[in-house]
Each structure stands twice: as structure tokens, then as C-alpha cells.
Amino acid sequence: MPQFETTHRVAHSAQAMFNLVADVEAYPQFVPLCERLVVRAQREEGEKRILVADMTIGYKMIRETFTSQVTLDRPALLIRADYLDGPFRFMENLWTFVPAGEGQSDIGFHIAYEFKSRAFGMLMGAMFDRVFRTYSDAFEKRADVIYGKSEAAREGKP
């Protein structure tokens, strides 16, 4: 089963990055391949917010929509997307946000997936793998646009 995992230090707070990733309806503006995202339902469970969202991904002539349940756990600084319906047999996505001092944080991104159709997996699998490897960079660039670059980042300091 294809999977990808990375941890990336960014020049933004864990809370700011959580807010950015939690704003799923903005994904079509900057997430690679995401053409449309619609939140169909949402509810509160204690301090967690649960969303059911449809995401349409497109590449050239291919368009696929899948549905996920997204759990926004603000106290734990954790976002989890669990697959409900669409072209996958299985998909799970997990984001973690860990404060790293002075307006920085370590962002963890994990995704594992398997397509229902072996043919579709062979056609799209390598491209999906490349795109998923750019997701954390896309979110960091979006954070720089929304929040600005920190002074340390502007000066090229770690």
C-alpha cells in the first residue's frame, strides 16, 4: 500500500498551521490537484469538530470525487481524515502540529492509500505519490502568504 510520511519545520506557530490545514474549504486555492471541496456536514463532539467533506481531484481528463470524515482535534493539535467513499479501497491522512519555539512548529504529514481499481492505481499511483510529497510544501507556502514570513525566515535563519 502506498504511503508517505514527513515532518517539516516551518516558521509559523503550531496553532496557525492547525488553523490553515483545518480550513478545508480553501484547499482548491492552493492544494495540488484539488479542484473542489465541499463540506457536507459538521458536528461538535466535545472539543473536536467533525466534518464530512467531498474533495474532487483532477488531473488532465481524469476527475474523481471522494468523501472523508475529517476530525479537527484542536486541543491535541491533530487533524485526521478517514476515507468514507470514492475511488480508494483505503485512505487515511494524519496531520500533527508540534510547537518548536519562537513561532516555529514541526508539522507531521502522513498519508496511506490504496485504489479500488488496480488499473486506476497503475495509471494514477505514481502521480499521486509525487503530489502527496508536495503537500506539506504547499501548506507552508500558503502559510507564508496568509501569515507572512517570520523575521528569521526572511533573514534565512533556521
Side-chain angles (χ1 to χ4, degrees):
M1 172 182 336
Q3 58 182 323
F4 175 70
E5 189 165 345
T6 186
T7 300
H8 193 86
R9 176 141 312 159
V10 299
H12 303 285
S13 72
Q15 190 65 51
M17 292 304 294
F18 177 93
N19 293 340
L20 187 87
V21 177
D23 186 12
V24 297
E25 291 174 304
Y27 286 12
Q29 298 172 32
F30 69 97
V31 171
L33 300 185
C34 180
E35 293 185 348
R36 184 170 177 255
L37 195 138
V38 176
V39 175
R40 292 195 300 167
Q42 54 185 309
R43 69 183 188 279
E44 303 292 325
E45 284 186 10
E47 295 187 56
K48 295 178 184 175
R49 188 167 153 223
I50 313 295
L51 312 173
V52 175
D54 293 334
M55 181 181 212
T56 301
I57 53 174
Y59 180 72
K60 296 187 180 184
M61 299 298 289
I62 298 170
R63 301 284 171 284
E64 289 287 342
T65 299
F66 63 94
T67 305
S68 296
Q69 176 176 291
V70 181
T71 303
L72 308 173
D73 187 346
R74 188 173 300 279
L77 292 174
L78 180 82
I79 296 175
R80 180 183 180 95
D82 292 300
Y83 175 73
L84 298 176
D85 188 41
F88 298 98
R89 177 171 292 126
F90 168 83
M91 186 191 71
E92 81 174 7
N93 176 217
L94 183 67
W95 290 88
T96 58
F97 309 87
V98 179
E102 296 193 36
Q104 295 187 349
S105 58
D106 291 327
I107 309 307
F109 174 78
H110 166 82
I111 191 160
Y113 62 96
E114 183 177 357
F115 290 104
K116 286 179 185 175
S117 161
R118 183 181 281 282
F120 189 71
M122 290 178 71
L123 175 68
M124 298 295 288
M127 188 269 307
F128 265 69
D129 189 56
R130 282 193 310 275
V131 169
F132 288 143
R133 291 177 185 276
T134 69
Y135 265 35
S136 60
D137 291 337
F139 281 89
E140 182 178 7
K141 288 175 186 171
R142 177 70 172 177
D144 289 346
V145 169
I146 299 296
Y147 305 125
K149 290 190 175 191
S150 72
E151 193 64 34
R154 283 193 297 268
E155 293 174 9
K157 297 176 185 173

